[in-house]
Amino acid sequence: MVGATLLTQIVTLASGVHSIFPNTQTPFSDICPLLRDTCQEIASSISAASDVYDQTSPKYLKDIKHWTSWSTQFAACSFEPGTPEDVGIALRIIARTRMPFAVKGGGHATNPGFSSTEGIQIAMSRFSEVTYDPVTQTVIVGAGLTWDEVYEALEPYGVNVAGGRIAGVGVAGFTLGGGYSWHTNQYGLTIDTVQAFELVTPNGTVVDVTEILSPDLFFALKGGLNNYGIVTRFTFRAFPQTQVWGGLITYSPDVRDQVMLATANFSANSTDPKAGIIMVYQHLFGQVSVLVDVFYDAPTAPEGVFDEFLAIASVERDISTRSFPSFVRSLLDTTASPKRCVFNSISVATHPVSFIQSAVNEADYWRQKLPDDVASISYDIQPFLPSLFTHNTTPTAYPPSRAQGLFPLNIHFAWDQPEHDDTVSNVARKTAQTLYSLFIEDGQSDVPSVVYPNYAIFGTPVANLYGENLPRLRAIKAVVDPENVMGLAGGFKI
């Protein structure tokens, strides 16, 4: 439990660590004592199922740790709730004291201050339930888990859920931002498979949110991120899962034109909902590589689905029939645990060779322009079937419209030195703008400039995430959180 005093290093650290206190009018000189008092009040009010840790505890370090150090901050204390009711107690105290806080699920966020804070770090790791119900064909999943943990737990039952595509991605943030999955072609986005949310509202009340009980909140939570309270568990629709076929193919840059053509052909011609790929063009530590993740949701891929990729000479090929958890673990996370990393994105509806070539050109250009400590520059082409949004007829916060399928291009940069933060972040914005302009010039003017929330760089206008849904989302926010308690946490604010 938290001691009588908390370390006050946060004041001196403020100049070197991202200082983000949204919607807080309290002078910075008064923040530390107020945070200390708030941490201690939470510690003295919660049940024995939960704990508060100060900066001297090893558990504190685990609670604040994120995938990238850029999105890790030194919080005044960390709070590990063990029950939804204790989450509610903390939210009521935070609402009264107006102290900054953050909620961390898996900790895979790259944007600084989105799930980290110099205030009160709420770490959801104790919400680790995975309960499969064979009667209802649903799975209850705790908000503190990563997707690979969920897949491992479900494997003995021969079922699965539509979740993240690589290991280490958290359930909560991924789901609340939309969720493009290896199963999206068959079942839709991850949010399309959510049947219910257990939500602690900003006033501390624990509620079950379903389409019948709370249609507005149900809409808002499906893509609306952390604006409506803290989700403690999700109920997902389950589906049968056999072994799968797939893995990672690594090519030399000499055959990149062939890989680009194969990717464009797959995007244009594939009609099999069980098949999926991600093509990655990357500069990593001075070396150029072309990677393709291939996936087929059955023990064997039919002839013709991936033949074009398999016919290209490769440097390495790790493809086999394997369990789904094994497949996810086999995919190389090429920016694993970077010091500093940023994502950005645009949405497209097709992948002509000319567009893929433009992405490759952008990667090559910025490798020449950016400082040497930028260790990784990566552009990821992610085709889906045009019908991916038709699996759900009920409106959701994201996407703004389901009239047209949208495929997110993931742009990411990883670097070492904090003095290059602004430079690299601005390049991530500029390259996305360039690629979207080129896409429009290539005759794709009917594709809206919608950005997938989970890839969007900090500072992206929320209108670019939600489009015409934004007025409704703001109206729901005004009802659910009239005191703007969730505005004390970072992230994209409605």
PDB file of all heavy atoms in Angstrom, residues 277-288:
ATOM      1  N   ILE A 277      -3.396 -10.748 -45.654  1.00  0.00           N
ATOM      2  CA  ILE A 277      -1.958 -10.459 -45.697  1.00  0.00           C
ATOM      3  C   ILE A 277      -1.702  -9.086 -45.091  1.00  0.00           C
ATOM      4  O   ILE A 277      -2.607  -8.249 -44.984  1.00  0.00           O
ATOM      5  CB  ILE A 277      -1.370 -10.473 -47.126  1.00  0.00           C
ATOM      6  CG1 ILE A 277      -1.933  -9.288 -47.948  1.00  0.00           C
ATOM      7  CG2 ILE A 277      -1.617 -11.801 -47.830  1.00  0.00           C
ATOM      8  CD1 ILE A 277      -1.140  -8.992 -49.203  1.00  0.00           C
ATOM      9  N   ILE A 278      -0.461  -8.853 -44.703  1.00  0.00           N
ATOM     10  CA  ILE A 278       0.070  -7.518 -44.439  1.00  0.00           C
ATOM     11  C   ILE A 278       1.422  -7.452 -45.132  1.00  0.00           C
ATOM     12  O   ILE A 278       2.284  -8.310 -44.904  1.00  0.00           O
ATOM     13  CB  ILE A 278       0.257  -7.229 -42.937  1.00  0.00           C
ATOM     14  CG1 ILE A 278      -1.061  -7.317 -42.190  1.00  0.00           C
ATOM     15  CG2 ILE A 278       0.879  -5.839 -42.740  1.00  0.00           C
ATOM     16  CD1 ILE A 278      -0.918  -7.143 -40.676  1.00  0.00           C
ATOM     17  N   MET A 279       1.604  -6.474 -45.992  1.00  0.00           N
ATOM     18  CA  MET A 279       2.912  -6.243 -46.607  1.00  0.00           C
ATOM     19  C   MET A 279       3.597  -5.087 -45.893  1.00  0.00           C
ATOM     20  O   MET A 279       3.000  -4.021 -45.696  1.00  0.00           O
ATOM     21  CB  MET A 279       2.771  -5.911 -48.088  1.00  0.00           C
ATOM     22  CG  MET A 279       4.109  -5.566 -48.747  1.00  0.00           C
ATOM     23  SD  MET A 279       3.953  -4.512 -50.206  1.00  0.00           S
ATOM     24  CE  MET A 279       5.588  -3.746 -50.244  1.00  0.00           C
ATOM     25  N   VAL A 280       4.847  -5.303 -45.494  1.00  0.00           N
ATOM     26  CA  VAL A 280       5.606  -4.293 -44.767  1.00  0.00           C
ATOM     27  C   VAL A 280       6.858  -3.948 -45.570  1.00  0.00           C
ATOM     28  O   VAL A 280       7.656  -4.839 -45.917  1.00  0.00           O
ATOM     29  CB  VAL A 280       6.024  -4.802 -43.369  1.00  0.00           C
ATOM     30  CG1 VAL A 280       6.834  -3.737 -42.636  1.00  0.00           C
ATOM     31  CG2 VAL A 280       4.803  -5.212 -42.555  1.00  0.00           C
ATOM     32  N   TYR A 281       7.033  -2.663 -45.875  1.00  0.00           N
ATOM     33  CA  TYR A 281       8.284  -2.173 -46.462  1.00  0.00           C
ATOM     34  C   TYR A 281       8.994  -1.379 -45.391  1.00  0.00           C
ATOM     35  O   TYR A 281       8.443  -0.414 -44.863  1.00  0.00           O
ATOM     36  CB  TYR A 281       8.023  -1.313 -47.692  1.00  0.00           C
ATOM     37  CG  TYR A 281       9.299  -0.852 -48.367  1.00  0.00           C
ATOM     38  CD1 TYR A 281      10.025  -1.733 -49.174  1.00  0.00           C
ATOM     39  CD2 TYR A 281       9.781   0.434 -48.187  1.00  0.00           C
ATOM     40  CE1 TYR A 281      11.199  -1.325 -49.790  1.00  0.00           C
ATOM     41  CE2 TYR A 281      10.959   0.849 -48.796  1.00  0.00           C
ATOM     42  CZ  TYR A 281      11.674  -0.032 -49.590  1.00  0.00           C
ATOM     43  OH  TYR A 281      12.848   0.363 -50.190  1.00  0.00           O
ATOM     44  N   GLN A 282      10.231  -1.774 -45.082  1.00  0.00           N
ATOM     45  CA  GLN A 282      10.869  -1.236 -43.886  1.00  0.00           C
ATOM     46  C   GLN A 282      12.360  -0.974 -44.069  1.00  0.00           C
ATOM     47  O   GLN A 282      13.077  -1.774 -44.679  1.00  0.00           O
ATOM     48  CB  GLN A 282      10.687  -2.224 -42.729  1.00  0.00           C
ATOM     49  CG  GLN A 282      11.263  -1.738 -41.403  1.00  0.00           C
ATOM     50  CD  GLN A 282      10.982  -2.716 -40.294  1.00  0.00           C
ATOM     51  OE1 GLN A 282      11.302  -3.894 -40.413  1.00  0.00           O
ATOM     52  NE2 GLN A 282      10.381  -2.242 -39.216  1.00  0.00           N
ATOM     53  N   HIS A 283      12.783   0.168 -43.521  1.00  0.00           N
ATOM     54  CA  HIS A 283      14.200   0.434 -43.281  1.00  0.00           C
ATOM     55  C   HIS A 283      14.446   0.182 -41.801  1.00  0.00           C
ATOM     56  O   HIS A 283      13.898   0.876 -40.943  1.00  0.00           O
ATOM     57  CB  HIS A 283      14.546   1.880 -43.616  1.00  0.00           C
ATOM     58  CG  HIS A 283      14.555   2.189 -45.078  1.00  0.00           C
ATOM     59  ND1 HIS A 283      15.715   2.197 -45.827  1.00  0.00           N
ATOM     60  CD2 HIS A 283      13.541   2.497 -45.934  1.00  0.00           C
ATOM     61  CE1 HIS A 283      15.424   2.498 -47.083  1.00  0.00           C
ATOM     62  NE2 HIS A 283      14.105   2.704 -47.172  1.00  0.00           N
ATOM     63  N   LEU A 284      15.277  -0.811 -41.477  1.00  0.00           N
ATOM     64  CA  LEU A 284      15.533  -1.177 -40.090  1.00  0.00           C
ATOM     65  C   LEU A 284      17.037  -1.241 -39.864  1.00  0.00           C
ATOM     66  O   LEU A 284      17.726  -2.080 -40.447  1.00  0.00           O
ATOM     67  CB  LEU A 284      14.891  -2.528 -39.760  1.00  0.00           C
ATOM     68  CG  LEU A 284      15.046  -3.034 -38.330  1.00  0.00           C
ATOM     69  CD1 LEU A 284      14.331  -2.095 -37.350  1.00  0.00           C
ATOM     70  CD2 LEU A 284      14.503  -4.451 -38.195  1.00  0.00           C
ATOM     71  N   PHE A 285      17.532  -0.324 -39.032  1.00  0.00           N
ATOM     72  CA  PHE A 285      18.962  -0.262 -38.714  1.00  0.00           C
ATOM     73  C   PHE A 285      19.819  -0.258 -39.976  1.00  0.00           C
ATOM     74  O   PHE A 285      20.824  -0.965 -40.089  1.00  0.00           O
ATOM     75  CB  PHE A 285      19.370  -1.424 -37.803  1.00  0.00           C
ATOM     76  CG  PHE A 285      18.677  -1.422 -36.472  1.00  0.00           C
ATOM     77  CD1 PHE A 285      17.747  -2.405 -36.174  1.00  0.00           C
ATOM     78  CD2 PHE A 285      18.933  -0.426 -35.535  1.00  0.00           C
ATOM     79  CE1 PHE A 285      17.099  -2.410 -34.950  1.00  0.00           C
ATOM     80  CE2 PHE A 285      18.290  -0.424 -34.311  1.00  0.00           C
ATOM     81  CZ  PHE A 285      17.374  -1.406 -34.014  1.00  0.00           C
ATOM     82  N   GLY A 286      19.384   0.548 -40.944  1.00  0.00           N
ATOM     83  CA  GLY A 286      20.167   0.719 -42.159  1.00  0.00           C
ATOM     84  C   GLY A 286      19.942  -0.325 -43.230  1.00  0.00           C
ATOM     85  O   GLY A 286      20.502  -0.217 -44.338  1.00  0.00           O
ATOM     86  N   GLN A 287      19.130  -1.344 -42.947  1.00  0.00           N
ATOM     87  CA  GLN A 287      18.857  -2.398 -43.922  1.00  0.00           C
ATOM     88  C   GLN A 287      17.416  -2.306 -44.419  1.00  0.00           C
ATOM     89  O   GLN A 287      16.510  -2.027 -43.645  1.00  0.00           O
ATOM     90  CB  GLN A 287      19.095  -3.778 -43.298  1.00  0.00           C
ATOM     91  CG  GLN A 287      20.500  -3.993 -42.781  1.00  0.00           C
ATOM     92  CD  GLN A 287      21.544  -3.986 -43.887  1.00  0.00           C
ATOM     93  OE1 GLN A 287      21.329  -4.576 -44.951  1.00  0.00           O
ATOM     94  NE2 GLN A 287      22.652  -3.311 -43.657  1.00  0.00           N
ATOM     95  N   VAL A 288      17.236  -2.549 -45.708  1.00  0.00           N
ATOM     96  CA  VAL A 288      15.902  -2.549 -46.295  1.00  0.00           C
ATOM     97  C   VAL A 288      15.376  -3.984 -46.317  1.00  0.00           C
ATOM     98  O   VAL A 288      16.090  -4.913 -46.706  1.00  0.00           O
ATOM     99  CB  VAL A 288      15.912  -1.983 -47.724  1.00  0.00           C
ATOM    100  CG1 VAL A 288      14.517  -2.048 -48.333  1.00  0.00           C
ATOM    101  CG2 VAL A 288      16.422  -0.552 -47.722  1.00  0.00           C
TER     102      VAL A 288
END
